[in-house]
Amino acid sequence: MGDGPSAAETREKMLEVYPKKTQRKRGKQMLVNETPETPAAIGANSRTVPGIITQRGCSYAGCKGVVIGPIYDILHITHGPIGCGWYSWLSRRNMTKIRHPEETNYLQYSMSTDMQEDHIVFGGEKQLEQAIQEAYDEFKPKAISVYATCPVGLIGDDIHAVCRKMKEKLGINIFGFSCEGYKGVSQSAGHHIANNGVFKHMIGLDDTPVEAKYKLNVLGEYNIGGDAWEIDRILRLCGIHIIGTLSGGVSYDEICNCHNADLNVVMCHRSINYMAEMMEQKFGIPWFKVNFIGIEGTKKSLRKIAKYFGDKELIDRVEEVIAMEMVDVRPVIADVTTRTKGKKAALFVGGSRAHHYQDLFSDMGMKTIAAGYEFAHRDDYEGRDVLPSIKIDADSRNIEELDVKADPERFNLRKTQERKVALEESGFDFSDYEGMMRQMAKDTLVIDDISHHELEKLIELHKPDVIGSGIKDKYVIEKMGVPCKQLHSYDYGGPYAGFKGAINFFKEIDRMISSKVWKLTRAPWKDDSDSQSTAAKEPVAVS
Amino acid sequence: MPHSHGSQGCCAYHRSHLTRHHKEPIVATTSSFTEGASVFGGLANLKTALENIFTIYEPDIVSVHTTCLSEVIGDDIPTIVKKSEEAGIIPEGKMVIHANTPSFVGSHVTGFSVQCAAFVNYLAESNGAKKNVINIFPGWVEPADMRELKRIAELLGVEYILAPDTSDVLDSALDGEYKMYPDGGTTVSQLKAMGDSLATLALGPMASALAAEKLTKKCKVDHSILELPIGISATDAFVNALRIAGDVTVPRELEKERGRLVDMVSDMSQYLHRKKVAIFGDPDHLTPMIKFLVEVGMQPAVVVTGTKGKKWAQNIREICSEANPEVEVVPFSDIHYLHQWIKANPVDLLMGNTYGKYVAKSENLPFVRFGFPILDRVGHRAFPLLGYAGGLRLIEKITDAFFDKRDREDPDHEIELVL
């Protein structure tokens, strides 16, 4: 891990202070990556230790906040007291713009049933019904979705019955999500609940054929800071058409139509792998993992897509586009690398970026000394080959698993079994994800659901040059004199995906590492020994 | 250490929200309820949490609040705390206090008020010997405002205890060292000593009255409930109350500050006179702000708060009775309503929290950020809005907003150098 103690010593030091039970539990979630090619089993997706100061959020955030919330022409109604709707109001930067004048974008609004005490006592179904009616009268949306919050499950409001009733009454698509905050152990449960709901209530509703030679969906891409638009720009240059991006900058109609694609590429494996699997089972659309974060990742992903479609014309076009884009990228890398090479990063982000962003750092010659997810599962750490050995524990057992069968009319195997096998034999991996640990260097630290205490220890012992994390940690880290790049919100910048995004990111990390502010943290008179060197220079006279 | 007894999503959200507002670390722990705990009760979760918090993070006090989850299932916090004490989880000399804060009652200000009252309930005590000290409950204001209140009290030479006090907590220095418990904050001994003070000034009825009343009941400390000292007359009332309670004379320096504010209002009167203002926010912030708008000659046109309050609305109408008898005052409403109203009844200025920027943009209105939260600017945590100094800043912000729009939009031949 570079300077400071070894990863194993650091791990011990982090665990030292904990009470016995906590020590045992956290110990399983903190590993030294001793054999990256065959990653050790990590204790992930287990309940949070109470009182430990976790970064984690809840199931509602995973469902409404992450997966469905970005669909811009659906009206999203939070059924609960005002907090959940309020806090998830525009706080994730899933950017949107309308693309046809007749469209509407509702994402600047937050709608809530604003439950009061009497709704808790007598039930909130009437209030919900009224909210749906009012929202319909005022906005006439194409669809309305309803999200349950903690008290809804406890008081027994049947949001699905209300949705069915109002769907019949108003004649538009209305559906609910039972994503009460206490379900599962993190945002992850909400992703699964959201996937099930989107699959049941939207995918496949519109069979209008899509006229395009190469058509695919980008799954698990939420257009933070415009990432999806950059991916779209690059694919368009190559001649590839995106039907739907799930779900950044996407419309209701696009989602209903996206079963017409010939391929699903997956960006965020954690949040959307359920959908990829279900779409393959029902419609015969294959999926594979891509990564448009980082120059090497973007190139690799483009080539993989071209190889999948297999046309020489496309394969050549992809190379042309890469060559064209690299003209702008090369000088930036050459410049920033002179300052970033050999610097250390640590990454603690949700369920996918802690892996993806390692590519961007490595493009700049930086090494990742420690990384971890808030809420990823073992397959995101160790790769999908461990799926059969994952046991679902009591805390996550109640998350519904849909039983999906091939659609009798619309199932259409996009690649024959022989063609798939031939591709696989040439090194192609369908329906797979290798996980984060394989890519990380030997003896780096992997920490699941990192606590405040562990993060503080990491900084104290290793002083990384930059840490990628979220808003709750950012200022803790920076008070310690280490720059923190928010990798959820991008610190209000972006995009960071694709070629243009990589350029933005390189310049941003260069700024953070080169910023003079970190040298100003200590007042000059604090260090007597240094008083000579830090004393102000003689003023220069203006003559 | 603030502790959220519920599922962890609430805690993540409120920490993020406050961090975005203050650009500062906001630390809090949570009981991290799972489905099982939500059905069978959160006793084990809170006990485990307390053991971890005291062992790992070593606070002197853990202050527990609740969420809709633990309120709906009816967890009895004092009983859980008692059981934790019996189990030896709470170390010698450490404390756990609590406030019930159901999210389906009132708003964030209700929670603030209940939490302030909890400090009084658990900590304030009276030895019977009154000290020449004035308690100040500052209400829901910024660290810079708390600093300003202390400065005014110090200028007057009044001994005071300010609670809560987030200055040096939510605006701490960046010096290479992270302190989980920063230098600032009202101390435990100060909170205890409040019971022996001469009097209490509770600023902002919604945020502060409950705690002041509790203290009167518990320790017989007289209290007066005042508006937040925003603008001239509300600051006058605060200074005067402090003068009388502390039996001191207002120093010339503070009179000069007041005079500088009156001077600026007079200088800028032509730009303020009869300008129509749309404003939204928390009741405690709105009342004195609207008084100030009226004082400087402006016309509150529409006033919206998310909080219930018929009496409050009546009071606002009275404040505006001369300036604008037609004023639209709407409690328990939202920014969407405000926006629709403005579309039908154009105004000259919008004031409110960051969420107002979307309305300001779509209606091309000068916009002054005011209240909570302010997520897209930094001045609020560095400079006060309270006191005469805060009044100067408000006039600056309002006239800047007008002038920036004018400079941007005036045709070239009409642009003025001097305003």
Side-chain angles (χ1 to χ4, degrees), chain A residues 25-287:
Chain A
K25 169 89 170 55
R26 289 301 304 149
K28 290 179 194 158
Q29 291 173 266
M30 300 160 67
L31 295 182
V32 178
N33 198 20
E34 283 168 346
T35 52
E37 57 290 348
T38 52
I42 191 165
N45 191 34
S46 56
R47 68 170 64 169
T48 315
V49 177
I52 200 154
I53 311 188
T54 174
Q55 301 172 320
R56 282 178 171 177
C58 67
S59 163
Y60 164 84
C63 181
K64 191 265 185 184
V66 173
V67 180
I68 320 275
I71 307 171
Y72 61 79
D73 51 358
I74 290 184
L75 270 189
H76 306 277
I77 301 180
T78 299
H79 186 38
I82 197 65
C84 310
W86 167 268
Y87 290 122
S88 58
W89 184 12
L90 291 169
S91 49
R92 257 174 76 82
R93 300 180 57 234
N94 38 249
M95 302 180 87
T96 47
K97 58 182 173 208
I98 54 170
R99 285 158 290 176
H100 313 289
E102 68 275 15
E103 281 189 325
T104 317
N105 176 4
Y106 298 117
L107 292 198
Q108 283 181 5
Y109 294 110
S110 169
M111 304 204 188
S112 167
T113 53
D114 192 10
M115 282 179 128
Q116 303 292 307
E117 201 157 13
D118 50 333
H119 304 128
I120 301 291
V121 178
F122 302 111
E125 291 181 12
K126 275 209 186 94
Q127 177 81 357
L128 175 58
E129 201 176 305
Q130 197 193 327
I132 293 172
Q133 181 70 51
E134 214 178 287
Y136 176 78
D137 293 343
E138 180 120 358
F139 297 102
K140 298 276 177 330
K142 288 180 171 168
I144 295 176
S145 58
V146 173
Y147 306 87
T149 61
C150 288
V152 171
L154 301 171
I155 63 172
D157 272 2
D158 186 346
I159 61 165
H160 304 289
V162 175
C163 288
R164 278 194 301 271
K165 180 180 166 193
M166 295 308 285
K167 180 178 178 173
E168 198 157 313
K169 182 177 174 196
L170 301 174
I172 60 164
N173 199 0
I174 301 176
F175 44 91
F177 295 88
S178 291
C179 53
E180 285 87 347
Y182 53 75
K183 293 214 167 144
V185 298
S186 67
Q187 288 94 313
S188 178
H191 301 150
H192 198 163
I193 293 163
N195 275 240
N196 291 347
V198 171
F199 192 73
K200 276 195 289 197
H201 298 293
M202 295 168 72
I203 302 277
L205 289 185
D206 176 7
D207 281 324
T208 315
V210 179
E211 298 303 329
K213 197 163 179 190
Y214 314 111
K215 50 195 177 191
L216 53 73
N217 301 313
V218 182
L219 304 190
E221 166 51 59
Y222 302 99
N223 200 28
I224 306 298
D227 277 352
W229 293 332
E230 167 67 1
I231 295 170
D232 186 62
R233 181 188 71 84
I234 299 169
L235 291 185
R236 252 174 224 269
L237 280 176
C238 298
I240 300 162
H241 176 72
I242 299 176
I243 298 185
T245 298
L246 267 68
S247 44
V250 77
S251 70
Y252 173 74
D253 290 341
E254 286 168 336
I255 296 219
C256 293
N257 191 235
C258 71
H259 61 296
N260 282 306
D262 290 324
L263 170 66
N264 281 324
V265 295
V266 170
M267 275 291 285
C268 171
H269 174 262
R270 181 68 267 132
S271 66
I272 210 90
N273 75 89
Y274 317 96
M275 181 69 69
E277 288 284 295
M278 292 189 291
M279 283 179 79
E280 180 157 23
Q281 285 157 14
K282 186 166 179 181
F283 300 106
I285 308 170
W287 71 271

Side-chain angles (χ1 to χ4, degrees), chain A residues 467-483:
Chain A
I467 293 181
S469 188
I471 185 69
K472 298 191 291 295
D473 301 318
K474 180 177 174 80
Y475 302 103
V476 173
I477 295 165
E478 297 196 338
K479 289 277 189 236
M480 298 170 89
V482 175

